Amino acid sequence: MADLLTAKQLQELLKIDRTTIYRMLTDGRLKGVKVGNQWRFPKDAVDALLSGVRPDDQEKPGVSHQVLPINCIQPIQDVFADITQVSSLTTAPDGTPLTRLSSPCAFCSLILGSESGKEACIASWRKLATQPEVKPRFVTCHAGLHYARARVEIGDTLVAMFVAGQFYASAPDSTEEKERIRLLAATHGIDEGQLANAAREVPVVDARKEAQIGIWMEKIAGTFEHFGKERSEMMSRLRRIADITAITLP
């Protein structure tokens, strides 16, 4: 049987009063068992509390993109876009943007300026989360441009994606491009002439540079993971302090 601590022993260990102990017991921050008329507290559960693990953590959602410091991520993403000359973005696993788009091309800006176009882009970003490959793999989005994602994981949880692209892998066929632009303009209520002019400015990236961009993307995603892990650990420590030092308000 696990070692059991009395309420008095727990008071001395945590440096809190008896009222706080019973409040923590009531709200689930602490686990205890009744022995006769007295409460006893498993030492392993107390040790877990001291290490920052709450008894009910297993029942709560895992870490999310909220641990990422967006104010730190945005400038790194901006620099990446400036160096690679391709657009970049950080999204949640469901495709929702977490940052503003860095260096967007005029073609994509026109599409994103339409509500339905923005929804189509988010759906394309969301689809990246379903790729079975761990490493970035460039694919064609709904608008016909190439893009890829690098996974940002905390533990075994996908918390975000670093997305880069908005370029052609090869010069498009003029007839196919004209029809694609016509359909995009009609679908999203965009001026066809403006979209056609913007399409002429979309860069063409060869396979060698595309592969290099994928390598850089993984390094950027790794940096974001480092930020997220440090912030997650800090939040856990702060939560532990809040749990242990909680007081009863009148």
Side-chain angles (χ1 to χ4, degrees), residues 19-39:
T19 300
T20 300
I21 289 175
Y22 291 129
R23 186 172 66 255
M24 292 171 68
L25 187 65
T26 300
D27 64 20
R29 287 178 288 165
L30 188 64
K31 294 295 184 182
V33 294
K34 209 67 175 293
V35 180
N37 293 323
Q38 302 294 322
W39 280 101

Side-chain angles (χ1 to χ4, degrees), residues 46-69:
V46 176
D47 289 340
L49 178 63
L50 288 171
S51 67
V53 178
R54 293 168 60 117
D56 54 355
D57 275 350
Q58 295 295 326
E59 302 169 5
K60 294 188 175 182
V63 66
S64 73
H65 63 78
Q66 294 177 350
V67 302
L68 297 176

Side-chain angles (χ1 to χ4, degrees), residues 171-234:
D173 176 89
S174 58
T175 301
E176 292 179 355
E177 183 184 44
K178 184 176 181 179
E179 177 62 13
R180 175 170 53 83
I181 289 172
R182 185 189 68 78
L183 289 174
L184 284 170
T187 300
H188 303 302
I190 304 170
D191 182 271
E192 186 175 339
Q194 285 187 320
L195 199 59
N197 288 334
R200 297 188 186 99
E201 303 301 321
V202 174
V204 176
V205 172
D206 61 32
R208 182 174 178 276
K209 182 176 179 180
E210 185 176 86
Q212 186 63 61
I213 289 172
I215 293 172
W216 290 338
M217 288 176 67
E218 287 191 279
K219 292 181 178 180
I220 295 295
T223 300
F224 292 173
E225 287 177 356
H226 178 72
F227 288 160
K229 288 174 183 176
E230 284 200 340
R231 193 159 185 254
S232 179
E233 290 171 1
M234 180 186 70

Side-chain angles (χ1 to χ4, degrees), residues 62-80:
V63 66
S64 73
H65 63 78
Q66 294 177 350
V67 302
L68 297 176
I70 301 303
N71 60 321
C72 296
I73 285 175
Q74 184 71 61
I76 294 174
Q77 176 186 295
D78 291 342
V79 171
F80 171 90

